[in-house]
Every structure is written in C-alpha cells, then in structure tokens.
Amino acid sequence: MSLPPCPQCASEYTYEDGGQYICPECAHEWNETESAAPAVEVLDANGAALQNGDTVILIKDLKVKGSSMVIKQGTKVKGIRLQEGDHNIGCKIDGSAMNLKSEFVKKA
Ligand SMILES: [Zn+2]
C-alpha cells in the first residue's frame, strides 16, 4: 500500500508513524481517515473518476426540477462537490445550488 501525498503541500515523501501520516516537508500531520481519497467514487459519462473541485461539462440538456429552467448541453460547471446518492454531484450553476447525475457530465 502506498502512502497518500501530503494534503497540504502534495509532497510524496510522507511517512506513517503510530497511525498518523506525517509530511517531512511542511510538518503537516493527519490521520488515515482524513486522507485525500474521496469517500464516494463518482464516475463521469466516460467512466473517468471525478474529484472534488473538478470542472465538468454537461453532455445533454437537463431540466431543473421544480422550475422551467433548462441547463444546456455544453455548460461548464466548475468546482463540483462529490456526494452520495442518486444525484452524486453538487455544484453551483449561475449562483444556484444544483445536484447533478454524474452520468450526464464529462470531465473538462
Ligand atoms: Zn506537506
């Protein structure tokens, strides 16, 4: 098992000590449960894994539940947040909080 990179400075020279991970470069210490790995695996339309903060592009027009608004195919969505459930991407589009299904987006 390889150790995760430091979440603070991305150093790869991290080591483990008594259940804690330690970064020798910036002295950051954290434990396994707060490691950078996403809690949920979210795949886009092409099967590529998405990460928190990614930018995605809609691959089809999506109707917004409870309104007449349609988000157009090709809309770029920045800074997505992965979450559990049917609509596994949280994001903001035009300032409004939205939940999307990852099968309707692809990584930008
Ligand atoms: Zn570090």
Side-chain angles (χ1 to χ4, degrees):
M1 189 195 130
S2 68
L3 296 174
C6 173
Q8 198 150 282
C9 73
S11 167
E12 291 171 11
Y13 302 106
T14 51
Y15 60 94
E16 196 180 355
D17 184 24
Q20 291 265 108
Y21 291 125
I22 298 170
C23 172
E25 296 196 29
C26 72
H28 183 57
E29 293 182 21
W30 71 105
N31 66 40
E32 211 167 338
T33 53
E34 320 167 31
S35 74
V40 276
E41 183 169 64
V42 174
L43 303 177
D44 74 0
N46 299 320
L50 298 172
Q51 310 279 342
N52 284 317
D54 271 357
T55 299
V56 297
I57 294 171
L58 297 193
I59 59 166
K60 58 173 278 184
D61 291 357
L62 294 178
K63 279 198 183 127
V64 179
K65 231 188 211 172
S67 87
S68 57
M69 190 177 152
V70 173
I71 312 167
K72 290 282 181 200
Q73 178 185 347
T75 300
K76 219 180 223 186
V77 183
K78 288 182 185 169
I80 61 165
R81 185 171 40 80
L82 307 184
Q83 57 194 19
E84 289 190 61
D86 185 32
H87 289 67
N88 48 8
I89 293 176
C91 63
K92 274 194 168 178
I93 298 174
D94 292 337
S96 309
M98 308 261 174
N99 294 310
L100 304 174
K101 290 187 181 187
S102 63
E103 65 201 85
F104 299 136
V105 305
K106 65 176 185 189
K107 201 167 177 164

